Amino acid sequence: MVKKTKSGFKKNTDSVSNAFSRSGMSMQEVESKLVDHGIQPSLQRIKLAQYLLGKADHPTAEQIYTWAQKELGKISLATVYNTLSTFIECGLIQEFKFPHLDQVIYDCRMDHHFHFVDTKSQRLHDVDSGSLRVQLKLPKKFLVEKFDIVFKGVIED
Amino acid sequence: MVKKTKSGFKKNTDSVSNAFSRSGMSMQEVESKLVDHGIQPSLQRIKLAQYLLGKADHPTAEQIYTWAQKELGKISLATVYNTLSTFIECGLIQEFKFPHLDQVIYDCRMDHHFHFVDTKSQRLHDVDSGSLRVQLKLPKKFLVEKFDIVFKGVIED
DNA sequence: TTTTACTTTTAGAATGATTCTAATATTTTA
DNA sequence: TAAAATATTAGAATCATTCTAAAAGTAAAA
Ligand SMILES: [Mn+2]
Ligand SMILES: [Mn+2]
Ligand SMILES: [Zn+2]
Ligand SMILES: [Zn+2]
């Protein structure tokens, strides 16, 4: 269970506290963000959030795990999945499942948006929902509430 | 390997030959269709094709297996998967993967079309590609080759 | 017809992403 | 400090699908 806490909550983050200073948010910024979302900022959660929010681009659990192992030396795969579930539950990230991939991808963008799959690099690019218009003619008894759309193609040059 | 054959190829289909006379194609029609696609019409393949082409509606492998067990008494799950692969390879059916389902669904419609998921019944409805228009504004280096789209909603009444 | 080659079916093992379990470690609260 | 709550962990379990290797069926060759 993730619970809000009042007091400071100091952990032994010293050994890795500046590993990420060059990109994304600092440890302190990430920690604040976690607390804002009602998540207790353990070392593992801070590091994973730092990766997810600042450095990664639509990573899979496997990529997150691999990065975290390099960064923390030792972390359980179960912790990665537990933490991802917690982050999703608390609205810090969202997950996407795509027909072309048998792994879930995690996304720090929380707005409604879509994706373009570069079939050369297999990399995902965000597509703002404003850049898309969909017109659909169906019998009126079909009440569309949402849709998922994934574009596939290549990127020139 | 699926190979075309010239000669007649009679099998012991007598015990089940009229189980499907009331809906979809007859055994003979299905058999012709298989042969047309270069598929040797074994009993298992005929029955599975009869289900897929005439009776089923976007079934999963599990549903196909369950139906086939009732129909044939005994069939291996491996045969179901092997046969589905063969049918896909030969252009008799296509498969779809959806983000909301952890199982593949098989579709006898071979034209380009989309799907509407009724969130009440979880049933899929076909959406003709002509009933949809998508306008996308992306930087010109993104060359879109195709897109997958799935609509979710409910059906009134 | 017998032999041989090929194809199909099969049971069960393997795979791989994710979830679960149940024990241990850490942190908070009393 | 003691007790309660929460977080992390290793490894087992799950489940759709694929793989393996043997048995069964069918066709073509001899
Ligand atoms: Mn990946
Ligand atoms: Mn189903
Ligand atoms: Zn995204
Ligand atoms: Zn369809």
Side-chain angles (χ1 to χ4, degrees):
Chain A
M1 181 105 336
V2 177
K3 212 188 69 176
K4 281 200 168 78
T5 182
K6 261 85 146 246
S7 59
F9 198 69
K10 266 287 147 275
K11 298 138 266 71
N12 64 326
T13 56
D14 299 331
S15 62
V16 286
S17 64
N18 60 358
F20 243 110
S21 38
R22 64 212 145 85
S23 92
M25 285 178 272
S26 70
M27 296 278 284
Q28 286 70 24
E29 289 173 306
V30 173
E31 187 165 336
S32 302
K33 191 143 202 173
L34 293 181
V35 172
D36 287 349
H37 285 259
I39 300 164
Q40 278 197 282
S42 70
L43 173 59
Q44 289 88 340
R45 285 168 174 177
I46 291 170
K47 297 307 291 181
L48 291 176
Q50 202 155 209
Y51 182 61
L52 285 161
L53 302 178
K55 201 173 178 66
D57 178 51
H58 301 103
T60 61
E62 181 201 24
Q63 292 173 318
I64 296 162
Y65 180 51
T66 299
W67 179 89
Q69 282 182 305
K70 283 202 285 268
E71 196 70 10
L72 291 169
K74 181 170 173 257
I75 185 174
S76 170
L77 180 57
T79 300
V80 172
Y81 278 107
N82 288 341
T83 302
L84 290 167
S85 296
T86 297
F87 288 178
I88 290 167
E89 207 174 278
C90 296
L92 196 68
I93 62 173
Q94 59 180 320
E95 66 177 9
F96 284 97
K97 296 179 186 187
F98 295 109
H100 70 287
L101 236 199
D102 59 356
Q103 287 162 283
V104 170
I105 77 99
Y106 299 89
D107 197 328
C108 60
R109 269 188 69 163
M110 288 303 290
D111 66 324
H112 187 230
H113 71 286
F114 306 105
H115 295 93
F116 175 96
V117 183
D118 179 359
T119 54
K120 285 286 196 302
S121 70
Q122 288 295 111
R123 203 164 291 151
L124 289 172
H125 297 262
D126 290 316
V127 175
D128 296 342
S129 80
S131 60
L132 177 67
R133 177 152 318 164
V134 172
Q135 293 170 52
L136 179 62
K137 289 191 298 282
L138 286 183
K140 47 243 142 292
K141 63 175 185 170
F142 289 86
L143 306 176
V144 175
E145 287 163 358
K146 61 165 297 200
F147 61 87
D148 294 328
I149 186 164
V150 183
F151 300 94
K152 283 183 200 178
V154 294
I155 298 186
E156 215 172 32
D157 288 11
Chain B
M1 182 106 336
V2 177
K3 211 186 69 176
K4 282 200 167 80
T5 183
K6 260 85 147 244
S7 58
F9 199 68
K10 266 288 149 274
K11 300 140 263 74
N12 64 325
T13 56
D14 299 330
S15 62
V16 287
S17 64
N18 59 358
F20 243 109
S21 39
R22 62 212 148 85
S23 90
M25 284 177 275
S26 69
M27 296 278 285
Q28 286 70 24
E29 288 173 306
V30 172
E31 187 165 336
S32 303
K33 191 144 202 173
L34 292 182
V35 172
D36 288 348
H37 285 258
I39 301 164
Q40 278 197 288
S42 70
L43 173 59
Q44 290 87 340
R45 285 167 174 176
I46 291 170
K47 297 307 292 181
L48 291 177
Q50 202 155 208
Y51 182 62
L52 285 161
L53 302 178
K55 201 174 178 68
D57 177 51
H58 300 103
T60 61
E62 181 201 23
Q63 292 174 319
I64 296 163
Y65 180 50
T66 300
W67 180 89
Q69 282 182 307
K70 283 202 284 268
E71 197 69 10
L72 290 169
K74 181 168 171 255
I75 186 174
S76 170
L77 181 57
T79 300
V80 172
Y81 278 106
N82 288 342
T83 302
L84 289 167
S85 297
T86 297
F87 287 178
I88 290 167
E89 208 174 276
C90 297
L92 196 68
I93 62 172
Q94 59 179 321
E95 66 177 9
F96 283 98
K97 296 178 186 187
F98 296 109
H100 71 286
L101 236 199
D102 59 357
Q103 286 161 283
V104 171
I105 76 100
Y106 300 89
D107 199 326
C108 60
R109 269 188 68 162
M110 289 302 290
D111 65 325
H112 188 229
H113 71 285
F114 306 105
H115 295 94
F116 174 94
V117 183
D118 178 359
T119 54
K120 284 285 197 300
S121 70
Q122 288 296 111
R123 202 164 292 151
L124 289 172
H125 296 261
D126 290 317
V127 175
D128 295 344
S129 79
S131 60
L132 177 67
R133 177 153 316 165
V134 173
Q135 293 170 52
L136 180 62
K137 289 190 299 280
L138 286 183
K140 49 241 139 292
K141 63 175 184 171
F142 289 85
L143 306 177
V144 175
E145 287 163 359
K146 60 166 297 201
F147 60 87
D148 295 326
I149 187 165
V150 183
F151 300 94
K152 283 183 201 179
V154 293
I155 298 185
E156 216 172 31
D157 288 12

Tab-separated table of all heavy atoms in Angstrom, chain A residues 57-58 94 96 98 105-109 111 113-115 124-127, ligand 3:
chain	number	residue	atom	x	y	z
A	57	ASP	N	12.641	6.511	-22.824
A	57	ASP	CA	11.672	6.857	-23.861
A	57	ASP	C	10.852	5.619	-24.181
A	57	ASP	O	11.312	4.717	-24.881
A	57	ASP	CB	12.426	7.341	-25.108
A	57	ASP	CG	11.480	7.669	-26.247
A	57	ASP	OD1	10.525	8.418	-26.033
A	57	ASP	OD2	11.718	7.143	-27.356
A	58	HIS	N	9.654	5.564	-23.620
A	58	HIS	CA	8.763	4.425	-23.830
A	58	HIS	C	9.449	3.082	-23.546
A	58	HIS	O	9.445	2.188	-24.407
A	58	HIS	CB	8.209	4.435	-25.255
A	58	HIS	CG	7.433	5.679	-25.592
A	58	HIS	ND1	7.943	6.689	-26.360
A	58	HIS	CD2	6.198	6.080	-25.248
A	58	HIS	CE1	7.045	7.655	-26.484
A	58	HIS	NE2	5.971	7.309	-25.819
A	94	GLN	N	1.705	6.031	-17.382
A	94	GLN	CA	0.672	5.145	-17.902
A	94	GLN	C	1.338	4.029	-18.698
A	94	GLN	O	2.507	4.129	-19.057
A	94	GLN	CB	-0.359	5.890	-18.738
A	94	GLN	CG	0.164	6.623	-19.938
A	94	GLN	CD	-0.960	7.333	-20.720
A	94	GLN	OE1	-2.049	6.788	-20.891
A	94	GLN	NE2	-0.674	8.536	-21.189
A	96	PHE	N	1.087	1.207	-22.019
A	96	PHE	CA	0.486	0.965	-23.318
A	96	PHE	C	0.807	-0.450	-23.766
A	96	PHE	O	1.922	-0.934	-23.566
A	96	PHE	CB	1.029	1.945	-24.363
A	96	PHE	CG	0.458	3.332	-24.264
A	96	PHE	CD1	1.151	4.330	-23.592
A	96	PHE	CD2	-0.767	3.636	-24.834
A	96	PHE	CE1	0.629	5.611	-23.502
A	96	PHE	CE2	-1.289	4.918	-24.751
A	96	PHE	CZ	-0.591	5.908	-24.078
A	98	PHE	N	0.771	-2.669	-27.304
A	98	PHE	CA	0.668	-2.527	-28.749
A	98	PHE	C	0.588	-3.894	-29.404
A	98	PHE	O	1.221	-4.844	-28.940
A	98	PHE	CB	1.879	-1.775	-29.290
A	98	PHE	CG	1.962	-0.364	-28.803
A	98	PHE	CD1	2.927	0.016	-27.892
A	98	PHE	CD2	1.057	0.590	-29.250
A	98	PHE	CE1	2.995	1.325	-27.441
A	98	PHE	CE2	1.125	1.899	-28.799
A	98	PHE	CZ	2.097	2.258	-27.894
A	105	ILE	N	4.698	-1.198	-22.681
A	105	ILE	CA	5.628	-0.074	-22.586
A	105	ILE	C	5.043	0.961	-21.614
A	105	ILE	O	3.829	1.072	-21.449
A	105	ILE	CB	5.988	0.536	-23.960
A	105	ILE	CG1	4.870	1.399	-24.491
A	105	ILE	CG2	6.426	-0.493	-24.959
A	105	ILE	CD1	5.128	2.867	-24.233
A	106	TYR	N	5.959	1.662	-20.955
A	106	TYR	CA	5.577	2.624	-19.917
A	106	TYR	C	5.892	4.024	-20.414
A	106	TYR	O	6.922	4.255	-21.063
A	106	TYR	CB	6.297	2.275	-18.621
A	106	TYR	CG	5.918	0.893	-18.157
A	106	TYR	CD1	6.639	-0.228	-18.578
A	106	TYR	CD2	4.791	0.685	-17.374
A	106	TYR	CE1	6.262	-1.510	-18.208
A	106	TYR	CE2	4.403	-0.594	-16.996
A	106	TYR	CZ	5.140	-1.683	-17.419
A	106	TYR	OH	4.762	-2.948	-17.060
A	107	ASP	N	4.989	4.945	-20.106
A	107	ASP	CA	5.020	6.266	-20.730
A	107	ASP	C	4.822	7.320	-19.662
A	107	ASP	O	3.862	7.275	-18.899
A	107	ASP	CB	3.888	6.323	-21.772
A	107	ASP	CG	4.068	7.446	-22.763
A	107	ASP	OD1	4.620	8.496	-22.381
A	107	ASP	OD2	3.660	7.269	-23.918
A	108	CYS	N	5.737	8.284	-19.616
A	108	CYS	CA	5.618	9.346	-18.613
A	108	CYS	C	4.674	10.451	-19.068
A	108	CYS	O	4.345	11.349	-18.291
A	108	CYS	CB	6.989	9.910	-18.272
A	108	CYS	SG	7.849	10.622	-19.672
A	109	ARG	N	4.260	10.418	-20.309
A	109	ARG	CA	3.272	11.400	-20.744
A	109	ARG	C	1.909	10.965	-20.259
A	109	ARG	O	1.460	9.855	-20.562
A	109	ARG	CB	3.263	11.522	-22.272
A	109	ARG	CG	4.213	12.587	-22.778
A	109	ARG	CD	4.065	12.833	-24.255
A	109	ARG	NE	2.807	13.469	-24.617
A	109	ARG	CZ	2.598	14.083	-25.801
A	109	ARG	NH1	3.590	14.145	-26.691
A	109	ARG	NH2	1.435	14.619	-26.073
A	111	ASP	N	-0.938	12.763	-20.763
A	111	ASP	CA	-2.060	13.270	-21.556
A	111	ASP	C	-2.491	12.233	-22.592
A	111	ASP	O	-1.807	11.243	-22.830
A	111	ASP	CB	-1.666	14.587	-22.239
A	111	ASP	CG	-0.572	14.373	-23.282
A	111	ASP	OD1	0.318	13.518	-23.051
A	111	ASP	OD2	-0.601	15.047	-24.321
A	113	HIS	N	-2.644	10.782	-25.865
A	113	HIS	CA	-1.856	10.904	-27.087
A	113	HIS	C	-1.700	9.547	-27.749
A	113	HIS	O	-2.065	8.530	-27.179
A	113	HIS	CB	-0.491	11.551	-26.799
A	113	HIS	CG	0.465	10.680	-26.046
A	113	HIS	ND1	0.332	10.414	-24.703
A	113	HIS	CD2	1.570	10.019	-26.452
A	113	HIS	CE1	1.312	9.628	-24.317
A	113	HIS	NE2	2.088	9.361	-25.358
A	114	PHE	N	-1.152	9.557	-28.956
A	114	PHE	CA	-1.035	8.341	-29.740
A	114	PHE	C	0.420	8.095	-30.106
A	114	PHE	O	1.288	8.840	-29.676
A	114	PHE	CB	-1.917	8.460	-30.994
A	114	PHE	CG	-3.332	8.809	-30.675
A	114	PHE	CD1	-3.812	10.104	-30.904
A	114	PHE	CD2	-4.178	7.874	-30.105
A	114	PHE	CE1	-5.121	10.428	-30.570
A	114	PHE	CE2	-5.492	8.205	-29.777
A	114	PHE	CZ	-5.955	9.479	-30.011
A	115	HIS	N	0.661	7.046	-30.880
A	115	HIS	CA	2.049	6.686	-31.182
A	115	HIS	C	2.270	6.317	-32.634
A	115	HIS	O	1.384	5.781	-33.293
A	115	HIS	CB	2.507	5.551	-30.256
A	115	HIS	CG	2.544	5.964	-28.825
A	115	HIS	ND1	1.488	5.780	-27.982
A	115	HIS	CD2	3.506	6.614	-28.116
A	115	HIS	CE1	1.791	6.279	-26.795
A	115	HIS	NE2	3.004	6.796	-26.841
A	124	LEU	N	9.255	4.292	-30.695
A	124	LEU	CA	7.953	4.946	-30.664
A	124	LEU	C	8.094	6.452	-30.628
A	124	LEU	O	8.942	6.975	-29.899
A	124	LEU	CB	7.181	4.502	-29.411
A	124	LEU	CG	6.672	3.071	-29.391
A	124	LEU	CD1	6.117	2.748	-28.015
A	124	LEU	CD2	5.607	2.877	-30.448
A	125	HIS	N	7.244	7.120	-31.381
A	125	HIS	CA	7.197	8.572	-31.356
A	125	HIS	C	5.798	9.003	-30.939
A	125	HIS	O	4.810	8.415	-31.381
A	125	HIS	CB	7.547	9.139	-32.734
A	125	HIS	CG	8.941	8.813	-33.162
A	125	HIS	ND1	9.977	9.701	-33.023
A	125	HIS	CD2	9.471	7.689	-33.694
A	125	HIS	CE1	11.093	9.145	-33.469
A	125	HIS	NE2	10.817	7.920	-33.881
A	126	ASP	N	5.739	10.037	-30.123
A	126	ASP	CA	4.441	10.506	-29.667
A	126	ASP	C	3.727	11.286	-30.753
A	126	ASP	O	4.344	12.018	-31.520
A	126	ASP	CB	4.630	11.392	-28.434
A	126	ASP	CG	5.072	10.582	-27.234
A	126	ASP	OD1	4.491	9.504	-27.023
A	126	ASP	OD2	5.986	11.021	-26.523
A	127	VAL	N	2.426	11.114	-30.790
A	127	VAL	CA	1.572	11.860	-31.696
A	127	VAL	C	0.536	12.578	-30.833
A	127	VAL	O	-0.275	11.928	-30.171
A	127	VAL	CB	0.862	10.922	-32.694
A	127	VAL	CG1	-0.124	11.703	-33.559
A	127	VAL	CG2	1.869	10.177	-33.552
E	3	ZN	ZN	3.928	8.255	-25.559
